[in-house]
Amino acid sequence: EIRPRDWSSDVCSSDLDGSRFDYYKINVQSGQRVAVEVFAGRLGESYDPVLRLLDANGKQLMLADDDPGLGSDCRFAHTFQAPGQYVLEVRDNQYRPGGRYRLRVGDFPLAISTFPLAGKAGTTAKFTFTGPGADAIPAVDVAVPNGVAGGRVTVGARYPNGQSSGFATAMLSTMPEAVEAEPNNDAAKANPIVVPGGISGRLETPGDRDVFSFDAKKGQRLGFKAGTRSFGSPVLLKMYIQKADGSVLAESAVSDADEETLVFTFPEDGSYRLAVQDLLKQGGVESVYRVGIEPVGSFSLALKPDKATRYKLLSAKNGSFSIDIPCARNGYDGPITLSVEGPGGDYQVFNHVIPEKQPQTKLIVVPPATFTPGQFTALKIIGKARSEEHTSEL
């Protein structure tokens, strides 16, 4: 039975029998709002939770499975009409044994994304939130640090007089960051932006289209990197490079990747446009995005778009793990040497060279001896060309 003094409680469970369910009792008041979430995939666990809320007679009131913003983890919030005792049920979606999870119960908001999606390092950035009931979450000012492993900062979200917090993540940027201003739906009304730089926006209505103007030089090669699903946004961002008159020069691919990168070499000096919209022309208050615009070297690294790779890497019992590292070659066909940076010491790497003209390698990583079981951390994977004149990071 969960009896939180301040209505914020955490429960851990481990080494589960896959055929059995876990049950927790909670006592609530009439009109009380309760938020519940399960951490597993976000902690590097293979457990795939399903969460149900039952009344005292076993009637299902809520069911939560995979969440677009959390991957395989799940959460919900419910306002109770009648006081009394209720039950939370947790199980693995595939009834697998041996899983571990953390259950969190409180009055926290179900924040999905921050807005904007990035803050410049060394500045104070103001963030609002998207998600159910986000209008009631006060904006927060965050002193963005100068360095965070993995390039993300956690931004806490709490209701006025609330006793527990939800959170979302924002990207730490070293470039100028801008936020779109409506109306900017066509080339004539484009928002001016600086490149290299980042721009955060929101596709507020179905079919919404945002346009930005910038200057580029002949031969300049820029990469336009979409950021959406990795922040919890539902957007599949389609990007177009246009001339000043709106005619299209290039557009991002349509593939199974959640977030595309459009690389373009500009044919002459002049003013250009970046136009973005949702691939399915959907929109809404949660449809936020960021486009990072940076000079492109001779290759770029990526992660495979499958759910397991996007959300977690599980270390084996001996501490090692492997990960496929694909690369997109843009004129460089030579070998690419990979290294790993992260907290806690030196990381050993094996099979860490993408051979000449090859599209990928399976990188094997051994964390430092100080890395303990259950520890969760962000890593940076760095690739260098033979001349070391070009690099790419994950």
Side-chain angles (χ1 to χ4, degrees):
E1 182 172 0
I2 301 176
R3 297 180 179 273
R5 289 178 297 176
D6 62 354
W7 201 243
S8 176
S9 185
D10 290 274
V11 176
C12 292
S13 184
S14 62
D15 299 326
L16 299 176
D17 180 342
S19 65
R20 298 175 59 186
F21 300 173
D22 286 351
Y23 294 95
Y24 303 92
K25 298 177 182 178
I26 58 174
N27 292 286
V28 303
Q29 303 299 318
S30 177
Q32 187 170 10
R33 174 191 173 277
V34 177
V36 184
E37 66 177 337
V38 181
F39 288 79
R42 287 172 289 172
L43 299 176
E45 297 295 332
S46 60
Y47 189 76
D48 186 358
V50 176
L51 178 64
R52 289 205 303 162
L53 173 66
L54 312 173
D55 67 13
N57 297 318
K59 178 183 177 181
Q60 177 179 299
L61 303 178
M62 296 287 296
L63 170 68
D65 200 344
D66 295 357
D67 184 288
L70 308 179
S72 60
D73 290 350
C74 54
R75 61 183 176 181
F76 67 76
H78 183 72
T79 301
F80 292 84
Q81 302 301 312
Q85 188 173 87
Y86 294 81
V87 175
L88 298 172
E89 176 193 275
V90 184
R91 66 169 174 87
D92 183 86
N93 189 40
Q94 300 181 38
Y95 305 99
R96 294 170 298 185
R100 299 191 300 174
Y101 66 85
R102 179 178 292 274
L103 174 69
R104 187 164 184 255
V105 183
D107 62 356
F108 49 86
L110 300 185
I112 296 177
S113 305
T114 64
F115 189 78
L117 290 178
K120 185 177 180 181
T123 68
T124 297
K126 183 179 290 292
F127 293 100
T128 59
F129 298 90
T130 71
D135 290 347
I137 307 173
V140 297
D141 293 321
V142 176
V144 184
N146 282 312
V148 172
R152 296 289 180 102
V153 291
T154 300
V155 184
R158 180 179 293 192
Y159 286 127
N161 302 317
Q163 298 184 66
S164 57
S165 296
F167 63 89
T169 62
M171 177 176 288
L172 183 149
S173 172
T174 57
M175 304 184 296
E177 290 291 325
V179 177
E180 69 141 334
E182 293 283 0
N184 64 335
N185 294 355
D186 55 50
K189 299 177 181 178
N191 289 171
I193 58 174
V194 175
V195 297
I199 177 71
S200 291
R202 190 192 310 264
L203 301 172
E204 297 180 342
T205 58
D208 190 11
R209 183 182 180 93
D210 293 339
V211 184
F212 307 93
S213 64
F214 61 94
D215 293 330
K217 298 292 186 180
K218 181 178 179 179
Q220 188 174 10
R221 188 175 179 84
L222 295 175
F224 299 78
K225 170 67 175 177
T228 56
R229 295 295 181 92
S230 64
F231 293 96
S233 170
V235 173
L236 288 171
L237 199 67
K238 182 73 173 177
M239 300 177 287
Y240 304 86
I241 303 299
Q242 303 173 334
K243 293 182 178 179
D245 62 5
S247 57
V248 176
L249 295 171
E251 61 184 82
S252 57
V254 177
S255 70
D256 57 358
D258 284 341
E259 299 174 329
E260 297 286 354
T261 296
L262 171 60
V263 178
F264 185 71
T265 302
F266 292 86
E268 57 187 5
D269 293 359
S271 178
Y272 294 88
R273 305 290 183 266
L274 168 68
V276 301
Q277 66 182 66
D278 184 80
L279 179 64
L280 303 178
K281 297 186 178 181
Q282 299 177 348
V285 294
E286 296 177 1
S287 296
V288 295
Y289 64 86
R290 177 184 180 270
V291 179
I293 308 169
E294 298 186 73
V296 173
S298 57
F299 69 92
S300 60
L301 302 179
L303 290 182
K304 294 178 68 175
D306 60 281
K307 182 170 70 174
T309 299
R310 287 203 315 267
Y311 295 114
K312 61 180 179 294
L313 290 169
L314 298 179
S315 177
K317 289 184 178 180
N318 65 0
S320 65
F321 64 87
S322 64
I323 177 174
D324 290 327
I325 305 294
C327 71
R329 294 182 180 272
N330 303 304
Y332 174 73
D333 289 331
I336 300 168
T337 302
L338 304 175
S339 60
V340 174
E341 292 182 359
D346 293 331
Y347 288 74
Q348 298 182 61
V349 290
F350 301 91
N351 201 35
H352 60 291
V353 176
I354 302 177
E356 181 178 355
K357 297 183 179 181
Q358 295 303 304
Q360 71 175 43
T361 188
K362 183 178 286 294
L363 178 67
I364 300 172
V365 182
V366 179
T370 55
F371 203 81
T372 57
Q375 186 174 347
F376 181 65
T377 190
L379 301 179
K380 179 187 293 185
I381 300 174
I382 302 169
K384 290 187 177 182
R386 178 167 47 197
S387 65
E388 296 194 358
E389 292 178 357
H390 302 292
T391 63
S392 180
E393 297 181 355
L394 289 174

